[in-house]
């Protein structure tokens, strides 16, 4: 079948002459539309409409090729509605409105689709959808709630949208859906909404109520994919080995389905997930193979930004491996992050640009090398940290500012000492900056870690008085005692007690 922008499938051969006649009535439309007989729904083709029993049907798109709008279940098959549907599916905003003058519901739906695709302000499109409140058929009530949820979830509006309203419409649609495939379609986006809003456990509860295996392959694996995302959002150390094992199995089965059927973009996302899961088991070679597969697929599909996202994960994996006693991977991590910088420019993606430079600052500080070169790496590290702080400033992003300052201070403690500078003094200054935005009431653990780092640097900072520095001693004792009020973490308390013991011994000697 020659690839076209839109496919028209029919079941009754009596409809074929009319379909061809309608298409031929528009100059060169046949160059964009393919017509073919079929006895089954083809869920692997998103850009398709079906003609059956004198009705037009647009089935759910399981491949995320278009906004997840549910269309009316029974669109009358006539010339106007057929051509309006064709031009609507082709995204031709100049053409489709003229064919739906007698069918405003379809006009409003395609207007909504276009506002979501283009990212335009959708107030008018949403108002038009909301204006329809009387439903003849139960399916219309379901479709209304589903479409309002999708519109609120993925559209842009002049006023902020209440997440509770989105949740309510998704919940109503899920309850009203009586056909399993449509119920699964709503569930997919409802669960994704919950995950995106920090509720992966709630998403899992919804998904676990559905018997995936009773569905056809496309809805089945679409829900499996969302289930895997929900699980990955909940993974934390110490890991639940039974859940990890189940995740690996279901993720692999889902990945194989999309990979074997040639859906490389979706498969690439799953390869990234597989790389992350493999890394949790310290399977470095396996994880690297998976992430490289994702990079290749995104490149083949022309998804340059997603390829760069995969490089970010690749860089993180290499850094983790380097930290696990494989220092040769530091340079590989640097290469991956620099590859990502080709796409994430400062002017276009300042937040990602800053995140990358934060990571580069950390890596350059830890890069093992001879002392002469380490001075070069230290300079590059400081430059990257300053790039990160240029975006994540103290006023607008206090949490990120504190994290970067803490890591910048750690880096200064690792830089080779110069003749005229005291890197530990600079480290102290950055730790103080971090502490200024890490109050005990909000970030007790983060504050405790920074205080402990501060103590480590305080032992090494130059003492210009050449004698017992009472001010510094009192400061260190106070900070050590504060740590004990902030955390019950056994390792942090042990390290703190060591400092207090050393300080007590120092005072005794003096």
């Amino acid at each position: 079948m020659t690839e076209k922008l839109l496919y028209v499938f029919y079941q009754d051969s009596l409809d074929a002459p009319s379909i061809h006649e309608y298409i031929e009535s528009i100059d060169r439309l046949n160059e964009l539309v393919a017509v073919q007989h079929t006895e089954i729904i083809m869920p692997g083709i998103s850009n398709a409409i079906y003609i059956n029993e004198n009705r037009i049907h647009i089935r759910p798109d399981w491949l995320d090729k278009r906004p997840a709008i549910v269309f009316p279940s029974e669109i009358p098959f006539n010339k106007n509605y057929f051509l309006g549907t064709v031009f609507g599916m082709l995204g031709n905003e100049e053409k489709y409105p003229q064919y739906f003058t007698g069918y405003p519901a379809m006009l409003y739906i395609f207007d909504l689709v276009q506002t979501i695709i283009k990212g335009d302000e959708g107030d008018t499109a949403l108002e038009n959808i909301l204006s329809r409140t009387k439903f003849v058929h139960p399916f219309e009530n379901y479709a209304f709630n589903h479409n309002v949820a999708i519109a609120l979830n993925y559209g842009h509006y002049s006023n902020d949208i209440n997440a509770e309203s989105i949740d309510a419409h998704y919940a109503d649609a899920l309850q009203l859906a009586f056909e399993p495939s449509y119920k699964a379609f709503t569930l997919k986006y409802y669960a994704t909404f919950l995950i995106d809003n920090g509720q992966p456990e709630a998403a899992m509860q919804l998904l676990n109520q559905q018997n995936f295996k009773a569905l056809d392959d496309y809805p089945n694996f679409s829900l499996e994919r969302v289930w895997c995302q929900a699980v990955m959002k909940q993974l934390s150390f110490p890991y639940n080995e039974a859940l990890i094992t189940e995740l690996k199995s279901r993720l692999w089965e889902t990945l194989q389905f999309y990979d074997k059927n040639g859906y490389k973009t979706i498969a690439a996302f799953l390869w990234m997930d597989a790389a992350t899961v493999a890394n949790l088991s310290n399977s470095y070679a396996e994880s690297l193979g998976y992430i490289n597969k994702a990079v290749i697929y995104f490149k083949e599909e022309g998804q340059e930004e997603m390829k760069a996202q995969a490089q970010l994960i690749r860089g993180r994996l290499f850094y983790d491996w380097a930290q696990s006693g494989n220092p040769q991977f530091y340079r590989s991590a640097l290469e991956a992050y620099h590859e990502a910088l080709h796409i994430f420019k400062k002017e276009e993606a300042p937040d990602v640009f800053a995140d990358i430079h934060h990571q580069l600052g950390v890596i350059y500080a830890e890069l093992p090398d001879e002392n002469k070169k380490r001075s070069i790496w230290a300079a590059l590290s400081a430059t990257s940290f300053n790039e990160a702080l240029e975006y994540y400033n103290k006023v607008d992003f206090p949490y990120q500012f504190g994290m970067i300052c803490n890591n910048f201070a750690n880096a200064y403690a690792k830089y080779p000492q110069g003749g005229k500078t005291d890197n530990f003094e600079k480290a102290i200054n950055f730790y103080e900056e971090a502490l200024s935005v890490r109050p005990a009431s909000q970030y007790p653990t983060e504050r405790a870690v920074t205080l402990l780092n501060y103590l480590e640097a305080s032992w090494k900072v130059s003492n210009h008085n050449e004698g017992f520095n009472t001010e510094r001693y009192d400061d260190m004792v106070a900070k050590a005692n504060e740590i004990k009020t902030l955390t019950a973490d056994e390792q942090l308390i042990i390290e703190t007690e060591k400092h207090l013991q050393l300080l007590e011994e120092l005072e005794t000697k003096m």
Side-chain angles (χ1 to χ4, degrees):
M1 184 165 52
T2 304
E3 187 169 352
K4 299 282 186 175
L5 292 179
L6 181 67
Y7 298 94
V8 177
F9 296 106
Y10 63 91
Q11 291 184 323
D12 189 340
S13 296
L14 294 176
D15 292 325
S18 297
I19 295 170
H20 286 289
E21 177 190 340
Y22 298 158
I23 292 174
E24 293 299 329
S25 69
I26 306 296
D27 187 39
R28 304 187 68 177
L29 184 58
N30 60 359
E31 295 177 11
L32 305 177
V33 181
V35 179
Q36 183 175 329
H37 179 268
T38 184
E39 294 293 339
I40 59 172
I41 300 297
M42 296 188 178
I45 301 178
S46 299
N47 51 334
I49 61 177
Y50 296 85
I51 312 298
N52 182 38
E53 297 182 350
N54 209 35
R55 291 289 185 269
I56 301 170
H57 304 276
I58 304 173
R59 303 296 295 176
D61 168 28
W62 294 104
L63 298 173
D64 306 325
K65 295 290 183 69
R66 50 183 164 86
I69 295 299
V70 170
F71 289 83
S73 59
E74 297 185 349
I75 306 165
F77 176 53
N78 58 44
K79 184 176 181 179
N80 275 352
Y81 296 168
F82 174 76
L83 289 176
T85 301
V86 167
F87 283 119
M89 293 292 285
L90 291 172
N92 190 326
E93 294 177 90
E94 295 182 0
K95 292 283 188 181
Y96 71 73
Q98 61 185 284
Y99 295 103
F100 287 131
T101 54
Y103 200 165
M106 284 295 286
L107 175 62
Y108 297 158
I109 283 177
F110 278 121
D111 284 347
L112 176 61
V113 168
Q114 288 304 308
T115 59
I116 293 175
I117 289 174
K118 296 190 299 182
D120 292 343
E121 189 174 283
D123 292 50
T124 301
L126 179 61
E127 287 174 9
N128 288 334
I129 294 294
L130 290 172
S131 68
R132 290 179 51 79
T133 56
K134 294 182 180 180
F135 310 109
V136 176
H137 193 281
F139 182 88
E140 292 180 326
N141 195 4
Y142 154 73
F144 169 80
N145 281 282
H146 174 97
N147 290 342
V148 171
I150 293 296
L152 295 174
N153 196 1
Y154 295 98
H156 298 277
Y157 305 98
S158 56
N159 297 318
D160 292 337
I161 300 300
N162 190 327
E164 292 181 0
S165 178
I166 301 174
D167 191 295
H169 281 291
Y170 273 129
D172 286 346
L174 195 63
Q175 185 176 12
L176 291 164
F178 53 87
E179 185 179 329
S181 64
Y182 280 101
K183 190 178 187 71
F185 194 57
T186 297
L187 177 58
K188 171 185 175 180
Y189 290 95
Y190 189 9
T192 300
F193 163 77
L194 292 172
I195 294 170
D196 292 342
N197 283 270
Q199 302 178 67
E201 291 185 9
M204 274 193 69
Q205 288 177 1
L206 276 177
L207 291 163
N208 287 337
Q209 294 169 10
Q210 176 71 49
N211 181 9
F212 295 0
K213 300 303 180 183
L215 298 167
D216 293 333
D217 282 348
Y218 284 87
N220 172 28
F221 286 111
S222 290
L223 292 179
E224 286 282 5
R225 182 182 169 201
V226 179
W227 183 89
C228 292
Q229 292 170 349
V231 173
M232 292 188 67
K233 286 288 186 180
Q234 297 179 73
L235 293 178
S236 60
F237 187 82
Y239 301 112
N240 183 327
E241 291 301 326
L243 187 60
I244 291 284
T245 300
E246 183 181 4
L247 173 61
K248 285 182 178 179
S249 174
R250 293 171 70 164
L251 178 59
W252 184 254
E253 189 177 355
T254 305
L255 194 161
Q256 290 296 99
F257 170 76
Y258 287 106
D259 204 354
K260 288 178 179 178
N261 285 284
Y263 304 118
K264 289 190 174 181
T265 298
I266 296 177
F269 283 110
L270 292 166
W271 281 119
M272 287 200 297
D273 291 342
T276 301
V277 174
N279 189 51
L280 296 179
S281 304
N282 297 322
S283 301
Y284 300 148
E286 184 182 358
S287 184
L288 179 59
Y290 295 159
I291 198 64
N292 286 343
K293 192 89 167 181
V295 170
I296 292 169
Y297 276 15
F298 282 132
K299 182 178 180 180
E300 290 176 353
E301 294 294 291
Q303 300 277 351
E304 289 299 318
E305 184 170 329
M306 291 315 307
K307 174 188 166 188
Q309 289 283 3
Q311 290 288 9
L312 293 182
I313 294 177
R314 196 165 176 261
R316 184 75 235 182
L317 293 176
F318 278 129
Y319 177 71
D320 288 345
W321 302 341
Q323 289 273 289
S324 299
N326 301 278
Q328 70 273 19
F329 286 125
Y330 278 117
R331 282 177 167 77
S332 297
L334 288 174
E335 291 172 6
Y337 282 121
H338 278 292
E339 280 289 327
L341 281 176
H342 292 316
I343 299 298
F344 296 115
K345 305 290 186 182
K346 186 175 185 177
E347 299 76 17
E348 299 161 5
D351 54 339
V352 183
F353 180 86
D355 289 335
I356 294 172
H357 272 289
H358 180 196
Q359 294 302 317
L360 288 174
V362 171
I363 295 169
Y364 276 126
E366 297 178 6
L367 193 64
D369 213 328
E370 58 188 60
N371 282 337
K372 185 183 294 186
K373 288 186 177 180
R374 286 188 65 230
S375 296
I376 298 173
W377 303 140
L380 291 172
S381 173
T383 299
S384 282
F385 274 118
N386 285 320
E387 284 280 12
L389 288 172
E390 187 176 325
Y391 178 78
Y392 288 117
N393 62 73
K394 190 173 187 176
V395 175
D396 298 319
F397 305 99
Y399 183 82
Q400 291 87 343
F401 175 84
M403 180 170 57
I404 295 169
C405 284
N406 181 79
N407 290 340
F408 199 176
N410 291 343
Y412 262 114
K414 295 170 185 172
Y415 294 161
Q417 285 287 100
K420 298 181 180 179
T421 60
D422 186 350
N423 287 339
F424 293 106
E425 188 71 54
K426 292 181 179 179
I428 289 290
N429 292 336
F430 274 106
Y431 286 134
E432 287 176 339
E433 286 284 4
L435 289 170
S436 71
V437 293
R438 290 184 162 182
S441 58
Q442 288 181 273
Y443 309 112
T445 301
E446 290 90 338
R447 184 173 180 84
V449 170
T450 300
L451 286 169
L452 193 58
N453 291 337
Y454 182 103
L455 290 174
E456 292 285 352
S458 294
W459 287 108
K460 300 172 183 177
V461 68
S462 296
N463 188 353
H464 302 294
N465 297 327
E466 296 295 332
F468 184 75
N469 191 324
T470 304
E471 183 179 353
R472 180 170 299 142
Y473 172 84
D474 291 341
D475 177 56
M476 292 175 69
V477 170
K479 284 182 166 54
N481 284 325
E482 184 184 354
I483 293 173
K484 295 166 68 176
T485 70
L486 296 172
T487 181
D489 183 275
E490 184 178 353
Q491 191 57 43
L492 289 178
I493 296 298
I494 290 173
E495 293 298 320
T496 301
E497 291 293 352
K498 288 180 181 178
H499 285 291
L500 286 170
Q501 184 177 349
L502 289 171
L503 286 166
E504 185 179 344
E505 291 174 358
L506 180 62
E507 184 185 32
T508 301
K509 291 179 181 178
M510 302 307 296

